[in-house]
Amino acid sequence: GEHTTLPAGPATLSLRVGAPILPIAVYFTPAYNGHHAVVRPPVPAERREGLREDVARVTQALAHELEFLIRRAPEQWHLFQPNWPSDPGY
């Protein structure tokens, strides 16, 4: 239920140059050295309003995709820096 921020770079780049944002995750599997990759459809990134509003909308869409990927195997996700206001060191 906490709010946090995400980097605006992916959305900004996508909106400015038309590059797609592909949400991708690779998971460990039980097989020896096994991996399973998941590639989701591109995040919609069309210009609709001002750049600030478009970046916020595309970043939120990316956050929803990341949530989908994390829910598949949350024990395999790691952050190397604090992300949530309740994290120590935030």
Side-chain angles (χ1 to χ4, degrees), residues 2 7-8 10-11 21 33 38 47 50 57-58 62 69 77 83-84:
E2 289 183 72
I21 300 173
N33 282 334
V38 175
R47 295 298 303 264
R57 177 180 40 79
V58 173
L62 177 57
L69 292 168
W77 286 80
N83 188 67
W84 302 101

Side-chain angles (χ1 to χ4, degrees), residues 27 66-79:
Y27 304 95
L66 293 173
E67 179 183 7
F68 173 86
L69 292 168
I70 292 167
R71 284 183 187 273
R72 290 179 59 113
E75 71 283 359
Q76 294 192 31
W77 286 80
H78 309 281
L79 293 172

Side-chain angles (χ1 to χ4, degrees), residues 5-88:
T5 58
L6 292 175
T12 303
L13 182 63
S14 179
L15 289 162
R16 287 193 172 175
V17 302
I21 300 173
L22 295 174
I24 299 172
V26 179
Y27 304 95
F28 294 108
T29 65
Y32 177 74
N33 282 334
H35 298 84
H36 175 74
V38 175
V39 180
R40 301 280 295 159
V43 173
E46 304 87 25
R47 295 298 303 264
R48 295 184 190 167
E49 305 175 57
L51 182 61
R52 183 179 299 270
E53 293 80 14
D54 287 344
V55 167
R57 177 180 40 79
V58 173
T59 300
Q60 183 62 62
L62 177 57
H64 288 303
E65 286 294 328
L66 293 173
E67 179 183 7
F68 173 86
L69 292 168
I70 292 167
R71 284 183 187 273
R72 290 179 59 113
E75 71 283 359
Q76 294 192 31
W77 286 80
H78 309 281
L79 293 172
F80 296 106
Q81 62 187 30
N83 188 67
W84 302 101
S86 62
D87 288 343

